[in-house]
Amino acid sequence: MTDQLQTAPVPAPPRDASPLGPVALTTLLFGAFLPMLSFFIINVALPAIGGDLHASSGELQLVVGSYGIANATLLVVGGRLGDGFGRKRLFLAGLTGFTVLSLICALAPTIGVLLAARVVQGAAAAAMTPQVLASISSLLTGEHRARAMAWFGVAGGAAAALGQILGGVLVEADVFGLGWRAVFLVNVPVGLLALGAALRLLPETRADQAHQVDLVGAGLLALTLVLLLLPLTEGRPLGWPLWTWISLAAVIPSAAVLGLHQHRAERAGQAPLIPPTVLRLRAMRVGLLLAVGFFTTFGGFMFVFALATQGEAGMSPLEGGLSLLPMAVGFLVTSIYGPRLQLRYGAGLIVRGWLVQAVGYSLLAVVTLMLWPDVSPLRLALPMLVAGFGNGLVMVPLIGVVLGQVPPAQAGLGSGILLTSQQTCLSLGAATVGTAYLSLAGTSWGQGGSLAAVAFAITAISLLMTPITWRLRSR
């Protein structure tokens, strides 16, 4: 069966110089690295943010979720704007806004200001990230493009794996008394360096035919996400008032109106936000299912792990971050060999990743149940290392394998849809998995039992994703 999943050999292209040199490509990949880093680096700082700004658990979930909602809603819009106005121009605008908003987040005096800044920061990231894949697709071909696509996955995954470790170090070090504010300030010098390099090194590209931005579709998508995620985030701490149930009930008609609008726009020859014809491609449908399964559970796990380790387990922010170091190491090891393995195994690599991930999370659940609350970074090292290997084997090749089976003319739209689902599901994970965890943690399960339940649930979902992944075959 593995042979069925292997991708066709990729013919070696002429050994010409890449239009994007190593430094230019690295600069471009910061558009994937920084937004993902900002999503995950704050998880380990959430308890400190809550104590300093007197934020409730629901508001802390929104610190994560509001960024993701804004980012997911506007990713495709950002891609369309880059096609029309120039991808370098939008990349620079997004990176500038992201850097400035990072500074505003760091200086936020109240939780309300922080939440507002996070929304705008997510919008700025949405202007930046789509230009990365679009520039890679327009400037590179053959092996150069395949490797750059793989490094795009590595950049996002490395940011997710390393984010909480860096966050723990920064919060614990408390440089100049900044505490949690340092997790936002760290983006500022990096953003400024990337801006300088991008101005000098990145070439400008545009689409041959620019499409009108589907603002109605973007508004309907934003409404649907808010109707879903806001009550899931705020319902539990507020005792599930009537408006939360009304909001959840409104999700279905809102999504239906969004779907109807997309169909009508496409039939009228317009450019809908989420083209139904692209969703009819088997690779896209399977890829979206895999993205939902991975990013929802991954985003939820990162959120609850930070709360549990700094809660009943009594770890410091640094210890909580160090507990994730083996996961980061596992992820980075698979990332190094990921591009080569992806060319050899294709979707079979993702299948292996789901199975390894299931072993890692099940080991974590067992260790947690046996030792809680006397856990430490060393005692959690083995299950976290195995889970990290699995995470890398799923996440790194996912976008490349799926887009490799999508017609080139639709690859740009496909990447936008996959990135939108990624950000949506990361926020959905913080809302759904976070709410389930917080509800269980307040019962006799405690935080340890709740963390183990989350790990067992991710194990089950990983196994369920395996037969779905078999449907990804080379053309």
Side-chain angles (χ1 to χ4, degrees):
M1 184 176 293
T2 301
D3 293 339
Q4 292 178 313
L5 290 171
Q6 292 180 345
T7 54
V10 178
R15 292 294 179 180
D16 55 334
S18 168
L20 281 175
V23 179
L25 178 60
T26 301
T27 300
L28 191 61
L29 290 175
F30 271 111
F33 181 84
L34 284 175
M36 189 68 78
L37 180 74
S38 186
F39 188 94
F40 285 102
I41 196 173
I42 66 166
N43 279 329
V44 74
L46 288 174
I49 293 173
D52 188 28
L53 299 184
H54 309 290
S56 67
S57 59
E59 288 171 327
L60 293 179
Q61 285 177 280
L62 282 177
V63 171
V64 179
S66 60
Y67 173 89
I69 292 172
N71 192 268
T73 302
L74 297 173
L75 271 170
V76 178
V77 174
R80 297 287 197 201
L81 291 174
D83 290 343
F85 292 102
R87 291 162 185 145
K88 177 179 179 178
R89 183 177 298 177
L90 260 292
F91 181 87
L92 292 172
L95 182 55
T96 301
F98 184 88
T99 304
V100 171
L101 267 299
S102 295
L103 179 61
I104 295 174
C105 287
L107 299 176
T110 65
I111 189 64
V113 173
L114 178 60
L115 289 174
R118 287 287 283 172
V119 171
V120 185
Q121 187 186 34
M128 174 172 54
T129 306
Q131 316 318 322
V132 181
L133 284 176
S135 296
I136 288 172
S137 297
S138 63
L139 292 169
L140 304 179
T141 59
E143 184 180 356
H144 290 307
R145 179 187 291 179
R147 291 186 182 279
M149 287 286 191
W151 281 112
F152 177 88
V154 171
L162 295 174
Q164 296 197 143
I165 299 172
L166 179 59
V169 171
L170 291 173
V171 174
E172 186 79 7
D174 194 22
V175 180
F176 302 119
L178 291 171
W180 61 268
R181 299 178 189 275
V183 304
F184 294 107
L185 281 175
V186 72
N187 293 329
V188 177
V190 178
L192 292 175
L193 287 173
L195 270 172
L199 279 167
R200 293 183 56 193
L201 300 175
L202 295 186
E204 182 63 279
T205 62
R206 289 181 176 84
D208 295 332
Q209 181 180 1
H211 297 283
Q212 186 176 1
V213 176
D214 182 12
L215 294 178
V216 175
L220 288 171
L221 176 60
L223 175 63
T224 303
L225 291 178
V226 171
L227 289 172
L228 174 64
L229 297 179
L230 186 61
L232 288 176
T233 301
E234 297 297 305
R236 184 200 60 82
L238 294 178
W240 299 103
L242 179 61
W243 71 264
T244 60
W245 299 108
I246 295 174
S247 178
L248 288 172
V251 170
I252 294 177
S254 178
V257 172
L258 172 62
L260 180 62
H261 170 74
Q262 300 300 282
H263 279 284
R264 287 181 174 177
E266 191 168 54
R267 285 200 301 267
Q270 300 170 1
L273 189 73
I274 307 173
T277 53
V278 177
L279 294 180
R280 293 190 193 107
L281 298 170
R282 184 184 68 178
M284 282 303 304
R285 295 197 305 271
V286 175
L288 286 173
L289 282 174
L290 299 180
V292 170
F294 180 81
F295 291 111
T296 301
T297 54
F298 186 71
F301 174 77
M302 289 296 194
F303 178 80
V304 304
F305 186 82
L307 296 182
T309 52
Q310 294 183 58
E312 289 179 355
M315 292 187 189
S316 66
L318 177 60
E319 290 173 323
L322 289 177
S323 296
L324 288 164
L325 180 59
M327 175 177 278
V329 170
F331 187 95
L332 291 176
V333 169
T334 54
S335 297
I336 292 171
Y337 297 99
R340 188 184 310 167
L341 294 172
Q342 177 182 328
L343 293 174
R344 179 177 179 182
Y345 293 108
L349 185 62
I350 304 176
V351 172
R352 291 164 172 81
W354 287 120
L355 296 175
V356 174
Q357 178 174 290
V359 172
Y361 282 113
S362 61
L363 283 174
L364 175 64
V366 171
V367 170
T368 300
L369 290 174
M370 291 177 60
L371 301 178
W372 194 265
D374 299 320
V375 293
S376 65
L378 182 61
R379 291 177 172 178
L380 296 176
L382 178 61
M384 296 299 283
L385 178 66
V386 177
F389 279 125
N391 291 160
L393 291 174
V394 175
M395 184 175 175
V396 171
L398 179 58
I399 291 179
V401 169
V402 173
L403 294 184
Q405 301 183 38
V406 172
Q410 296 171 307
L413 291 172
S415 65
I417 293 172
L418 283 173
L419 290 174
T420 298
S421 68
Q422 177 192 75
Q423 291 300 322
T424 300
C425 292
L426 287 173
S427 299
L428 184 65
T432 56
V433 178
T435 296
Y437 164 83
L438 290 169
S439 299
L440 284 175
T443 68
S444 59
W445 288 62
Q447 293 183 355
S450 302
L451 179 62
V454 168
F456 276 132
I458 297 176
T459 299
I461 292 171
S462 301
L463 295 176
L464 287 174
M465 290 293 107
T466 303
I468 296 175
T469 311
W470 287 120
R471 299 184 61 193
L472 275 179
R473 295 182 175 88
S474 60
R475 291 175 293 164

